[in-house]
Amino acid sequence: MNLMQTQMAPPASVHNALDTIAYAIGESAIGDILAARSDIGVCAILIGSDADTLEQDLANRFPGKVLVEDEATLRDDLAAIARFIETPGAGLDLRLDMRHGTPFQQRVWDVLRAIPCGATITYTAVARRLGQPNGARAVATACAANAIALGIPCHRVVRADGTLSGYRWGIERKRALLDKEAGR
């Protein structure tokens, strides 16, 4: 059963485009990936082990939105994401919709997007760049709220001692992404 069909009452054509998010699920080297797109750009890249969990995560992140499965619209985005996972040095050039965060989260995400592929940064260093030297926990919370995995590379943020800490999509995926970016 497609979970999203149970949440869509009238057809998408009845709704304002701003209320509609198209999504599709594909496969990658680190698990299933869900890409979702608003009228502005990619608003979610979620990583997981099964489609139902990914669809529920999307629904939880965008309450009140009409979610429409649309593989044709997202085919190129899914291909770009899978390519990035395999060859991160090539970059991930997707137009992003980052409206779904607080102003502080958006500032954190902007800093994360400036971290070069293959590099890491600490939560404290991000907080300092934002002028909040004691804000490492707030930075970690902003990373956890990130719905656009890889597009907003929160996997590049590490503890002060350089070790890996929590990653919404699993520490093993974080390690795999960082190893791939470092050419290991």
Side-chain angles (χ1 to χ4, degrees):
M1 176 178 121
N2 182 333
L3 175 67
M4 294 304 107
Q5 289 177 343
T6 63
Q7 296 180 357
M8 296 183 301
S13 60
V14 174
H15 293 278
N16 181 322
L18 296 175
D19 293 333
T20 303
I21 294 175
Y23 76 94
I25 298 173
E27 296 178 359
S28 79
I30 60 170
D32 290 344
I33 49 175
L34 180 149
R37 180 175 278 281
S38 71
D39 61 321
I40 292 176
V42 172
C43 58
I45 300 173
L46 308 176
I47 307 167
S49 299
D50 71 87
D52 289 341
T53 303
L54 289 171
E55 288 176 334
Q56 188 60 58
D57 188 10
L58 183 68
N60 291 343
R61 289 173 180 274
F62 297 97
K65 299 289 185 184
V66 177
L67 306 175
V68 179
E69 189 166 6
D70 186 348
E71 184 178 326
T73 297
L74 279 294
R75 182 176 291 121
D76 291 344
D77 293 339
L78 286 170
I81 295 162
R83 266 192 314 275
F84 175 77
I85 291 168
E86 287 297 323
T87 313
L92 183 61
D93 185 25
L94 297 173
R95 184 171 178 188
L96 303 182
D97 176 357
M98 300 189 312
R99 296 175 296 165
H100 304 285
T102 67
F104 177 77
Q105 289 169 342
Q106 291 174 6
R107 288 178 50 220
V108 170
W109 300 340
D110 284 340
V111 170
L112 300 185
R113 292 185 68 215
I115 303 167
C117 181
T120 59
I121 190 170
T122 66
Y123 295 97
T124 302
V126 172
R128 285 187 186 130
R129 284 190 187 180
L130 295 170
Q132 299 187 0
N134 297 319
R137 285 190 185 199
V139 167
T141 301
C143 289
N146 173 24
I148 310 174
L150 311 173
I152 300 171
C154 56
H155 64 278
R156 295 179 184 152
V157 186
V158 297
R159 289 186 177 137
D161 64 3
T163 61
L164 302 185
S165 58
Y167 184 55
R168 176 153 181 45
W169 296 284
I171 199 82
E172 289 307 314
R173 285 187 178 107
K174 182 173 187 169
R175 181 174 287 110
L177 289 166
L178 290 173
D179 285 350
K180 194 72 156 170
E181 288 186 7
R184 294 189 285 256

